[in-house]
Coordinates of all heavy atoms in Angstrom, one line a residue:
M255 N -52.9 159.0 33.5 CA -53.0 159.7 32.2 C -54.4 159.2 31.6 O -54.8 158.2 31.6 CB -52.0 159.3 31.3 CG -51.8 160.0 30.0 SD -51.4 161.7 30.0 CE -49.7 161.7 30.6
I256 N -55.1 160.3 31.2 CA -56.4 160.1 30.5 C -56.2 160.2 29.0 O -55.6 161.2 28.6 CB -57.5 161.1 31.0 CG1 -57.7 160.8 32.6 CG2 -58.8 160.9 30.3 CD1 -58.3 162.0 33.2
T257 N -56.8 159.2 28.2 CA -56.6 159.3 26.8 C -58.0 159.4 26.1 O -58.9 158.7 26.5 CB -55.9 158.0 26.2 OG1 -54.6 157.9 26.9 CG2 -55.8 158.1 24.8
A258 N -58.1 160.3 25.2 CA -59.3 160.4 24.4 C -58.9 160.4 22.9 O -57.9 160.9 22.4 CB -60.0 161.8 24.7
I259 N -59.7 159.6 22.2 CA -59.6 159.6 20.7 C -60.6 160.4 20.1 O -61.9 160.2 20.4 CB -59.7 158.0 20.3 CG1 -58.6 157.2 20.9 CG2 -59.7 158.0 18.8 CD1 -58.9 156.6 22.2
V260 N -60.3 161.3 19.3 CA -61.2 162.3 18.8 C -61.3 162.1 17.3 O -60.3 162.3 16.5 CB -60.8 163.8 19.1 CG1 -61.8 164.7 18.6 CG2 -60.5 163.9 20.6
L261 N -62.4 161.7 16.8 CA -62.7 161.7 15.3 C -63.1 163.0 14.8 O -64.1 163.7 15.4 CB -63.9 160.6 15.1 CG -63.6 159.3 15.7 CD1 -64.8 158.4 15.4 CD2 -62.3 158.6 15.3
I262 N -62.5 163.5 13.7 CA -62.7 164.9 13.3 C -63.0 165.0 11.9 O -62.4 164.4 10.9 CB -61.4 165.7 13.6 CG1 -61.0 165.6 15.0 CG2 -61.6 167.2 13.1 CD1 -59.6 166.0 15.3
D263 N -64.2 165.7 11.6 CA -64.6 166.0 10.2 C -64.0 167.4 10.0 O -64.3 168.4 10.8 CB -66.0 166.0 10.1 CG -66.7 164.6 10.1 OD1 -66.1 163.7 9.6 OD2 -67.7 164.5 10.8
C264 N -63.4 167.7 8.9 CA -62.9 169.0 8.6 C -63.1 169.3 7.1 O -63.4 168.5 6.3 CB -61.5 169.2 9.0 SG -60.3 168.1 8.3
A265 N -62.9 170.6 6.8 CA -63.1 171.0 5.4 C -62.0 170.3 4.6 O -60.8 170.2 4.9 CB -62.8 172.5 5.4
T266 N -62.4 169.6 3.5 CA -61.6 168.7 2.8 C -60.3 169.4 2.2 O -59.2 168.9 2.1 CB -62.4 168.1 1.6 OG1 -63.6 167.5 2.2 CG2 -61.6 167.1 0.9
D267 N -60.6 170.7 1.8 CA -59.4 171.4 1.2 C -58.4 171.9 2.3 O -57.4 172.5 1.9 CB -59.9 172.6 0.4 CG -60.7 173.6 1.1 OD1 -61.1 173.3 2.3 OD2 -60.9 174.7 0.5
A268 N -58.7 171.7 3.5 CA -57.8 172.2 4.6 C -57.2 171.1 5.5 O -56.7 171.4 6.6 CB -58.6 173.2 5.4
I269 N -57.4 169.9 5.1 CA -56.9 168.7 6.0 C -55.5 168.9 6.5 O -55.3 168.8 7.7 CB -57.1 167.4 5.3 CG1 -58.7 167.1 5.2 CG2 -56.5 166.3 6.1 CD1 -59.1 166.0 4.4
P270 N -54.5 169.1 5.6 CA -53.1 169.2 6.0 C -52.9 170.4 7.1 O -52.2 170.3 8.1 CB -52.3 169.4 4.8 CG -53.1 169.0 3.7 CD -54.6 169.2 4.1
E271 N -53.5 171.5 6.8 CA -53.4 172.7 7.7 C -54.1 172.4 9.0 O -53.5 172.8 10.0 CB -54.0 174.0 7.0 CG -53.2 174.4 5.8 CD -53.6 173.6 4.4 OE1 -54.6 172.8 4.5 OE2 -52.9 173.8 3.4
V272 N -55.2 171.9 9.0 CA -55.9 171.6 10.2 C -55.1 170.6 11.1 O -54.9 170.8 12.3 CB -57.4 171.0 10.0 CG1 -58.1 170.5 11.2 CG2 -58.3 172.1 9.3
A273 N -54.6 169.5 10.5 CA -53.9 168.5 11.1 C -52.7 169.1 11.8 O -52.3 168.8 12.9 CB -53.5 167.4 10.1
E274 N -52.0 170.0 11.1 CA -50.8 170.6 11.6 C -51.1 171.5 12.9 O -50.4 171.4 13.8 CB -50.1 171.5 10.5 CG -48.7 171.9 10.9 CD -47.9 172.6 9.9 OE1 -48.1 172.1 8.7 OE2 -47.2 173.6 10.1
E275 N -52.2 172.2 12.7 CA -52.5 173.1 13.8 C -53.0 172.3 15.0 O -52.7 172.6 16.2 CB -53.7 174.1 13.4 CG -54.0 175.1 14.4 CD -54.8 176.3 14.0 OE1 -54.9 176.5 12.8 OE2 -55.2 177.0 14.9
L276 N -53.8 171.2 14.8 CA -54.1 170.3 15.8 C -53.0 169.7 16.5 O -52.9 169.6 17.8 CB -55.0 169.2 15.4 CG -56.4 169.6 14.8 CD1 -57.1 168.5 14.2 CD2 -57.3 170.2 15.9
A277 N -52.0 169.3 15.8 CA -50.8 168.6 16.4 C -50.0 169.6 17.3 O -49.3 169.2 18.2 CB -49.9 168.1 15.2
N278 N -50.1 170.8 17.1 CA -49.5 171.9 18.0 C -50.2 172.3 19.2 O -49.7 173.0 20.0 CB -49.1 173.1 17.1 CG -48.1 172.8 16.1 OD1 -47.1 172.1 16.4 ND2 -48.2 173.4 14.9
L279 N -51.5 171.7 19.4 CA -52.2 172.1 20.6 C -51.6 171.3 21.8 O -51.3 170.1 21.7 CB -53.7 171.6 20.3 CG -54.4 172.5 19.4 CD1 -55.8 172.0 19.2 CD2 -54.6 174.0 19.8
E280 N -51.6 172.0 22.9 CA -51.2 171.4 24.2 C -52.3 170.2 24.5 O -53.5 170.4 24.4 CB -51.3 172.4 25.2 CG -50.8 171.9 26.6 CD -49.4 171.6 26.6 OE1 -48.6 172.4 26.0 OE2 -48.9 170.8 27.4
G281 N -51.8 169.1 24.8 CA -52.7 167.9 25.1 C -52.9 167.0 24.0 O -53.3 165.9 24.1
V282 N -52.6 167.4 22.7 CA -52.8 166.6 21.6 C -51.5 165.9 21.3 O -50.5 166.6 21.0 CB -53.2 167.4 20.3 CG1 -53.3 166.4 19.0 CG2 -54.6 168.0 20.5
S283 N -51.5 164.6 21.4 CA -50.2 163.9 21.3 C -50.0 163.4 19.9 O -48.8 163.2 19.4 CB -50.0 162.7 22.2 OG -51.1 161.7 22.0
E284 N -51.0 163.1 19.2 CA -50.8 162.6 17.8 C -52.0 163.0 16.9 O -53.2 163.1 17.5 CB -50.8 161.1 17.7 CG -49.7 160.5 18.5 CD -49.9 159.0 19.0 OE1 -50.1 158.2 18.1 OE2 -50.1 158.8 20.2
V285 N -51.9 163.2 15.6 CA -53.0 163.5 14.7 C -52.6 162.6 13.5 O -51.6 162.5 12.9 CB -53.1 164.9 14.3 CG1 -54.2 165.1 13.3 CG2 -53.2 165.8 15.5
Y286 N -53.7 161.9 13.0 CA -53.6 161.0 11.8 C -54.6 161.4 10.8 O -55.7 161.7 11.1 CB -54.0 159.6 12.2 CG -53.0 158.9 13.2 CD1 -53.2 159.0 14.6 CD2 -51.8 158.4 12.9 CE1 -52.4 158.5 15.5 CE2 -50.9 157.8 13.8 CZ -51.2 157.8 15.1 OH -50.3 157.3 16.0
S287 N -54.1 161.5 9.6 CA -55.1 161.6 8.4 C -55.5 160.2 8.0 O -54.6 159.4 7.9 CB -54.3 162.3 7.3 OG -55.2 162.4 6.1
V288 N -56.8 160.0 7.9 CA -57.2 158.6 7.7 C -58.3 158.5 6.6 O -58.8 159.5 6.2 CB -57.9 158.1 9.0 CG1 -56.9 158.0 10.1 CG2 -59.1 158.9 9.4
A289 N -58.4 157.3 6.0 CA -59.5 157.0 5.1 C -60.7 156.5 5.9 O -60.5 155.9 7.0 CB -59.0 155.9 4.1
G290 N -61.9 156.8 5.4 CA -63.0 156.3 6.0 C -64.1 157.3 6.3 O -64.1 158.3 5.5
G291 N -64.8 157.2 7.4 CA -66.0 158.1 7.7 C -65.5 159.5 8.2 O -66.4 160.3 8.3
V292 N -64.2 159.7 8.6 CA -63.8 161.0 9.1 C -62.5 161.3 8.5 O -61.9 160.5 7.7 CB -63.6 160.9 10.7 CG1 -64.9 160.6 11.4 CG2 -62.5 159.9 11.0
D293 N -62.1 162.5 8.6 CA -60.9 163.0 8.0 C -59.6 162.9 8.7 O -58.5 162.6 8.2 CB -61.1 164.6 7.6 CG -62.3 164.7 6.6 OD1 -62.3 164.1 5.6 OD2 -63.1 165.5 7.0
L294 N -59.7 163.1 10.1 CA -58.6 163.1 11.0 C -58.9 162.4 12.2 O -60.2 162.4 12.7 CB -58.2 164.5 11.4 CG -57.6 165.5 10.2 CD1 -57.5 166.9 10.7 CD2 -56.4 164.9 9.6
I295 N -58.0 161.8 12.9 CA -58.1 161.2 14.2 C -57.0 161.8 15.1 O -55.8 161.8 14.8 CB -58.1 159.7 14.3 CG1 -59.3 159.1 13.4 CG2 -58.1 159.2 15.7 CD1 -59.2 157.7 13.3
A296 N -57.4 162.4 16.2 CA -56.4 163.0 17.1 C -56.4 162.2 18.4 O -57.5 161.7 18.9 CB -56.8 164.5 17.4
V297 N -55.2 162.0 19.0 CA -55.1 161.3 20.4 C -54.8 162.4 21.3 O -53.8 163.1 21.1 CB -54.1 160.3 20.2 CG1 -54.0 159.6 21.6 CG2 -54.4 159.1 19.2
V298 N -55.7 162.6 22.3 CA -55.5 163.5 23.3 C -55.1 162.9 24.6 O -55.7 161.9 25.1 CB -56.8 164.4 23.6 CG1 -56.6 165.3 24.8 CG2 -57.1 165.1 22.3
R299 N -54.0 163.3 25.2 CA -53.5 162.7 26.5 C -53.4 163.9 27.6 O -52.7 164.7 27.3 CB -52.2 161.9 26.4 CG -52.4 160.8 25.4 CD -51.0 160.1 25.2 NE -50.9 159.3 24.1 CZ -51.5 158.0 23.9 NH1 -52.0 157.5 24.9 NH2 -51.3 157.4 22.9
V300 N -54.1 163.7 28.7 CA -54.1 164.8 29.7 C -54.0 164.1 31.1 O -54.4 162.9 31.2 CB -55.3 165.7 29.7 CG1 -55.3 166.5 28.4 CG2 -56.6 164.9 29.8
R301 N -53.6 164.7 32.1 CA -53.5 164.2 33.4 C -54.8 164.3 34.2 O -55.0 163.4 35.0 CB -52.4 165.0 34.2 CG -51.0 164.7 33.6 CD -50.0 164.9 34.7 NE -48.6 164.7 34.1 CZ -48.0 163.5 34.0 NH1 -48.7 162.5 34.4 NH2 -46.9 163.5 33.5
E302 N -55.6 165.2 34.0 CA -56.9 165.3 34.7 C -58.1 165.3 33.7 O -58.0 165.9 32.7 CB -56.9 166.6 35.5 CG -55.9 166.6 36.6 CD -55.8 167.8 37.4 OE1 -56.9 168.4 37.6 OE2 -54.8 168.2 38.0
F303 N -59.2 164.7 34.1 CA -60.4 164.6 33.3 C -60.9 166.0 32.9 O -61.3 166.2 31.7 CB -61.5 163.9 34.0 CG -62.6 163.5 33.1 CD1 -62.6 162.5 32.2 CD2 -63.8 164.3 33.2 CE1 -63.6 162.2 31.4 CE2 -64.9 164.0 32.4 CZ -64.8 163.0 31.5
D304 N -60.8 167.0 33.7 CA -61.3 168.3 33.4 C -60.5 169.0 32.2 O -61.1 169.8 31.5 CB -61.1 169.3 34.6 CG -62.1 168.9 35.7 OD1 -63.1 168.1 35.5 OD2 -61.9 169.3 36.9
H305 N -59.3 168.6 32.0 CA -58.5 169.0 30.9 C -59.0 168.6 29.5 O -58.7 169.2 28.5 CB -57.1 168.8 31.0 CG -56.4 169.4 32.2 ND1 -55.3 169.0 32.8 CD2 -56.8 170.6 32.9 CE1 -55.1 169.8 33.8 NE2 -56.0 170.8 33.8
I306 N -59.8 167.5 29.5 CA -60.3 167.0 28.2 C -61.2 168.1 27.6 O -61.0 168.3 26.4 CB -61.1 165.7 28.5 CG1 -60.2 164.5 28.8 CG2 -62.0 165.3 27.3 CD1 -59.4 163.9 27.8
A307 N -62.0 168.6 28.3 CA -62.9 169.7 27.8 C -62.1 170.9 27.3 O -62.4 171.5 26.2 CB -63.9 170.1 28.8
E308 N -61.0 171.2 28.0 CA -60.2 172.4 27.6 C -59.6 172.1 26.2 O -59.6 173.0 25.4 CB -59.2 172.6 28.6 CG -59.7 173.2 30.0 CD -58.6 173.3 31.0 OE1 -57.4 173.3 30.7 OE2 -58.9 173.3 32.2
V309 N -59.0 170.9 26.1 CA -58.4 170.6 24.8 C -59.4 170.4 23.7 O -59.1 171.0 22.6 CB -57.5 169.2 25.0 CG1 -56.9 168.9 23.7 CG2 -56.5 169.4 26.1
I310 N -60.5 169.8 23.9 CA -61.4 169.5 22.8 C -62.3 170.7 22.5 O -62.3 171.2 21.4 CB -62.1 168.1 23.1 CG1 -61.1 167.0 23.1 CG2 -63.2 167.9 22.0 CD1 -61.7 165.7 23.7
A311 N -63.1 171.0 23.5 CA -64.0 172.1 23.3 C -63.3 173.5 23.2 O -63.7 174.3 22.4 CB -65.1 172.2 24.4
G312 N -62.2 173.6 23.9 CA -61.6 174.9 24.0 C -60.4 175.0 22.9 O -59.9 176.1 22.7
G313 N -60.0 173.9 22.3 CA -58.9 173.9 21.4 C -59.3 173.3 20.0 O -59.4 174.0 19.0
I314 N -59.4 171.9 20.0 CA -59.7 171.3 18.8 C -60.9 171.9 18.0 O -60.9 172.1 16.8 CB -59.9 169.8 19.0 CG1 -58.6 169.2 19.4 CG2 -60.4 169.1 17.7 CD1 -58.6 167.7 19.8
S315 N -62.1 172.0 18.7 CA -63.3 172.5 18.1 C -63.2 173.9 17.5 O -63.9 174.3 16.6 CB -64.5 172.4 19.0 OG -64.7 171.1 19.3
K316 N -62.2 174.7 18.0 CA -62.1 176.1 17.6 C -61.1 176.3 16.5 O -60.9 177.4 16.0 CB -61.7 176.9 18.9 CG -62.9 177.0 19.8 CD -62.5 177.9 20.9 CE -63.7 178.1 21.8 NZ -63.5 178.9 23.0
V317 N -60.4 175.3 16.1 CA -59.5 175.3 15.0 C -60.2 175.6 13.7 O -61.2 174.8 13.3 CB -58.6 174.0 14.8 CG1 -57.9 174.1 13.5 CG2 -57.7 173.9 16.1
P318 N -60.0 176.6 12.9 CA -60.6 176.9 11.6 C -60.5 175.7 10.7 O -59.4 175.1 10.5 CB -59.8 178.1 11.1 CG -59.2 178.7 12.3 CD -58.9 177.6 13.2
G319 N -61.7 175.3 10.1 CA -61.7 174.1 9.3 C -62.2 172.9 9.9 O -62.7 171.9 9.3
V320 N -62.3 172.9 11.3 CA -62.9 171.7 12.0 C -64.5 171.9 12.0 O -65.0 172.9 12.4 CB -62.4 171.6 13.5 CG1 -63.2 170.6 14.2 CG2 -61.0 171.2 13.5
L321 N -65.1 170.9 11.4 CA -66.6 170.9 11.3 C -67.3 170.2 12.4 O -68.4 170.6 12.8 CB -67.0 170.4 9.9 CG -66.3 171.1 8.7 CD1 -66.7 170.4 7.4 CD2 -66.6 172.6 8.6
N322 N -66.8 169.1 12.8 CA -67.4 168.2 13.8 C -66.4 167.4 14.5 O -65.4 167.0 13.9 CB -68.5 167.4 13.1 CG -69.4 166.6 14.0 OD1 -69.9 167.2 15.0 ND2 -69.6 165.4 13.8
T323 N -66.6 167.0 15.8 CA -65.8 166.1 16.4 C -66.7 165.1 17.1 O -67.9 165.3 17.5 CB -65.0 166.8 17.5 OG1 -65.8 167.4 18.6 CG2 -64.1 167.8 16.9
D324 N -66.2 163.9 17.3 CA -66.8 162.8 18.0 C -65.7 162.2 19.0 O -64.7 161.6 18.5 CB -67.3 161.7 17.0 CG -68.0 160.6 17.7 OD1 -68.4 160.7 18.9 OD2 -68.2 159.6 17.0
T325 N -65.9 162.3 20.2 CA -64.8 162.0 21.2 C -65.2 160.7 21.9 O -66.3 160.4 22.3 CB -64.7 163.1 22.3 OG1 -64.5 164.3 21.7 CG2 -63.6 162.8 23.3
H326 N -64.1 159.9 22.0 CA -64.2 158.6 22.8 C -63.1 158.5 23.8 O -61.9 158.8 23.6 CB -63.9 157.4 21.8 CG -64.9 157.4 20.7 ND1 -66.0 156.6 20.6 CD2 -65.0 158.1 19.5 CE1 -66.8 156.8 19.6 NE2 -66.1 157.7 18.8
I327 N -63.5 158.4 25.2 CA -62.6 158.3 26.2 C -62.2 156.8 26.4 O -63.0 155.9 26.5 CB -63.3 158.8 27.5 CG1 -63.9 160.1 27.4 CG2 -62.3 158.7 28.7 CD1 -62.9 161.2 27.1
A328 N -60.9 156.6 26.5 CA -60.4 155.3 26.7 C -60.5 154.9 28.2 O -60.1 155.7 29.0 CB -58.9 155.2 26.2
F329 N -60.9 153.7 28.4 CA -60.9 153.2 29.8 C -59.6 152.5 30.2 O -59.1 152.7 31.3 CB -62.0 152.2 30.0 CG -63.4 152.8 29.9 CD1 -64.4 152.2 29.0 CD2 -63.8 153.9 30.7 CE1 -65.6 152.8 29.0 CE2 -65.0 154.4 30.6 CZ -66.0 153.8 29.7
R330 N -59.1 151.8 29.2 CA -57.9 151.0 29.5 C -57.1 150.8 28.1 O -57.7 150.6 27.1 CB -58.3 149.6 30.1 CG -57.1 148.8 30.5 CD -57.6 147.5 31.2 NE -58.2 147.9 32.4 CZ -58.8 147.1 33.3 NH1 -59.1 145.9 32.8 NH2 -59.3 147.5 34.4
S331 N -55.8 150.7 28.2 CA -55.0 150.5 27.1 C -54.6 149.0 27.1 O -54.1 148.5 28.0 CB -53.8 151.4 27.1 OG -52.9 151.1 26.0
Y332 N -54.5 148.5 25.8 CA -54.1 147.1 25.7 C -53.0 147.0 24.7 O -52.6 145.9 24.2 CB -55.3 146.2 25.3 CG -56.3 146.0 26.3 CD1 -57.5 146.8 26.3 CD2 -56.2 145.1 27.4 CE1 -58.4 146.6 27.3 CE2 -57.1 145.0 28.3 CZ -58.2 145.7 28.2 OH -59.2 145.6 29.2
S333 N -52.2 148.1 24.5 CA -51.1 148.1 23.6 C -50.0 147.3 24.2 O -49.8 147.4 25.4 CB -50.8 149.5 23.1 OG -50.0 150.1 24.1
R334 N -49.2 146.7 23.4 CA -48.0 146.0 23.9 C -47.1 146.9 24.8 O -46.7 146.6 26.0 CB -47.3 145.3 22.9 CG -46.0 144.7 23.3 CD -45.2 144.1 22.1 NE -44.7 142.8 22.6 CZ -44.9 141.7 22.0 NH1 -45.6 141.6 20.9 NH2 -44.4 140.6 22.5
H335 N -46.9 148.1 24.3 CA -46.1 149.1 25.0 C -46.6 149.4 26.3 O -45.9 149.4 27.4 CB -46.0 150.4 24.2 CG -45.2 151.5 24.9 ND1 -45.8 152.4 25.6 CD2 -43.9 151.7 24.9 CE1 -44.8 153.3 26.0 NE2 -43.7 152.8 25.6
D336 N -47.9 149.7 26.4 CA -48.5 150.1 27.7 C -48.6 148.9 28.6 O -48.4 149.1 29.9 CB -50.0 150.7 27.5 CG -49.9 152.0 26.9 OD1 -48.8 152.7 27.0 OD2 -50.8 152.4 26.1
L337 N -48.9 147.7 28.1 CA -48.9 146.5 29.0 C -47.5 146.2 29.7 O -47.4 145.9 30.8 CB -49.4 145.3 28.3 CG -50.9 145.4 27.9 CD1 -51.2 144.1 27.0 CD2 -51.7 145.3 29.1
E338 N -46.5 146.4 28.8 CA -45.2 146.2 29.3 C -44.9 147.1 30.5 O -44.2 146.8 31.5 CB -44.1 146.3 28.2 CG -44.2 145.1 27.2 CD -43.3 145.2 26.0 OE1 -42.7 146.4 25.9 OE2 -43.2 144.3 25.3
Q339 N -45.2 148.4 30.3 CA -45.0 149.4 31.4 C -45.8 149.0 32.7 O -45.3 149.2 33.7 CB -45.4 150.8 30.9 CG -44.4 151.4 30.0 CD -44.8 152.8 29.6 OE1 -45.9 153.3 29.6 NE2 -43.7 153.6 29.3
A340 N -47.1 148.6 32.5 CA -47.9 148.3 33.7 C -47.3 147.2 34.4 O -47.2 147.2 35.6 CB -49.3 148.0 33.1
F341 N -46.8 146.2 33.8 CA -46.3 144.9 34.5 C -44.9 145.3 35.1 O -44.5 144.8 36.2 CB -46.1 143.8 33.5 CG -47.5 143.1 33.3 CD1 -48.0 143.2 32.0 CD2 -48.3 142.6 34.3 CE1 -49.3 142.6 31.8 CE2 -49.6 142.1 34.1 CZ -50.0 142.0 32.8
A342 N -44.2 146.3 34.5 CA -42.9 146.7 35.1 C -43.1 147.4 36.3 O -42.2 147.3 37.2 CB -42.1 147.5 34.1
I343 N -44.2 148.1 36.5 CA -44.4 148.8 37.8 C -45.3 148.1 38.8 O -45.7 148.7 39.7 CB -44.9 150.3 37.5 CG1 -46.2 150.3 36.8 CG2 -43.8 151.1 36.8 CD1 -46.7 151.7 36.6
G344 N -45.7 147.0 38.5 CA -46.5 146.1 39.3 C -48.0 146.2 39.4 O -48.6 145.9 40.3
F345 N -48.6 146.6 38.3 CA -50.0 146.6 38.3 C -50.6 145.2 38.0 O -50.2 144.4 37.3 CB -50.5 147.5 37.1 CG -50.5 148.9 37.5 CD1 -49.4 149.8 36.9 CD2 -51.4 149.5 38.3 CE1 -49.4 151.1 37.2 CE2 -51.3 150.9 38.6 CZ -50.2 151.6 38.0

């Protein structure tokens, strides 16, 4: 599974609507409204690297109200949940 964290700037008056539409996109597993330098953070999870472009450039960036995105590809997860799964299957 490939995970991308997408920082999203959007029209301030449309944050809830943009978040809801993003959450309904195939490949978007979570959307967070946040305080700080961006308005929303989306977590994208896909099986193949090529699908990242489809979800972000072909989906997220085309949602009305999205002004800018900054994408970060995760190399490895260190969450307790993911580490427990890795050790359970022998990594």
Side-chain angles (χ1 to χ4, degrees):
M255 185 69 64
I256 299 163
T257 301
I259 295 89
V260 186
L261 310 178
I262 303 163
D263 292 318
C264 61
T266 307
D267 61 344
I269 291 172
E271 294 82 7
V272 171
E274 189 172 324
E275 189 164 345
L276 292 174
N278 289 321
L279 291 175
E280 184 74 29
V282 176
S283 64
E284 302 157 62
V285 178
Y286 298 93
S287 176
V288 298
V292 297
D293 301 305
L294 299 170
I295 297 177
V297 178
V298 173
R299 297 181 200 278
V300 295
R301 293 204 179 275
E302 296 181 27
F303 188 77
D304 292 343
H305 294 158
I306 292 284
E308 292 173 21
V309 174
I310 297 168
I314 291 175
S315 294
K316 293 185 177 180
V317 170
V320 170
L321 305 176
N322 188 46
T323 63
D324 183 15
T325 303
H326 301 263
I327 306 296
F329 293 127
R330 183 173 293 166
S331 173
Y332 293 97
S333 76
R334 175 179 221 124
H335 177 266
D336 290 332
L337 288 174
E338 286 172 355
Q339 283 186 337
F341 286 113
I343 60 173
F345 284 103

